[in-house]
Amino acid sequence: MNQLERIVKMEANLSQAQTAIKKLQEALEVFKKSQPGIEELNKYLVSPEFKIDFKAAENGKLPVGLRHSLLSKNGISKAVTEYGDLCMEMIDNVEVIFKDFKDKKIYF
């Protein structure tokens, strides 16, 4: 690879990295802001109120037009599980990134 090709390639790498970093920063901000709500959903799922609300939904006692998909058999539990899975995936990715940086003697 000659000098011009190398510079063009590295410029493309930088542009791609900057775009990815910006998108990840934005997504992480949304994710962080959603954490209290996810924690509240998790507590609600195991609460007596959830059981009462679930039975009301099953028995058709909720107002027509009231959105209540959270009262399905796996509505909240699926979201909470996906949240936990995503958290574990982020931890795994961070471990790989730090290992790669350490092994390649790259510091940031």
Side-chain angles (χ1 to χ4, degrees):
M1 175 182 317
N2 69 36
Q3 183 182 39
L4 293 178
E5 291 170 333
R6 183 176 55 249
I7 291 171
V8 167
K9 181 179 181 199
M10 292 303 123
E11 187 65 32
N13 288 346
L14 176 61
S15 179
Q16 183 181 20
Q18 288 170 328
T19 299
I21 290 166
K22 183 176 182 188
K23 286 182 178 181
L24 182 57
Q25 286 171 328
E26 291 167 356
L28 282 174
E29 193 59 37
V30 170
F31 188 75
K32 284 191 272 186
K33 287 179 181 175
S34 73
Q35 287 176 328
I38 293 169
E39 290 171 14
E40 190 172 7
L41 282 170
N42 195 34
K43 289 177 185 173
Y44 174 63
L45 181 62
V46 297
S47 72
E49 289 86 0
F50 177 81
K51 291 177 180 130
I52 292 167
D53 298 345
F54 183 81
K55 282 193 184 280
E58 274 189 325
N59 296 326
K61 304 250 181 189
L62 298 178
V64 174
L66 175 67
R67 192 167 170 211
H68 58 277
S69 60
L70 75 146
L71 297 173
S72 68
K73 294 232 183 245
N74 63 2
I76 296 174
S77 60
K78 183 176 185 232
V80 170
T81 299
E82 288 173 349
Y83 170 79
D85 291 346
L86 184 56
C87 288
M88 294 306 296
E89 185 178 341
M90 287 190 296
I91 290 169
D92 291 344
N93 285 329
V94 167
E95 288 174 349
V96 168
I97 290 167
F98 277 109
K99 184 181 182 320
D100 285 350
F101 274 88
K102 182 181 174 194
D103 291 349
K104 295 174 183 167
K105 306 270 190 267
I106 300 172
Y107 304 99
F108 55 96

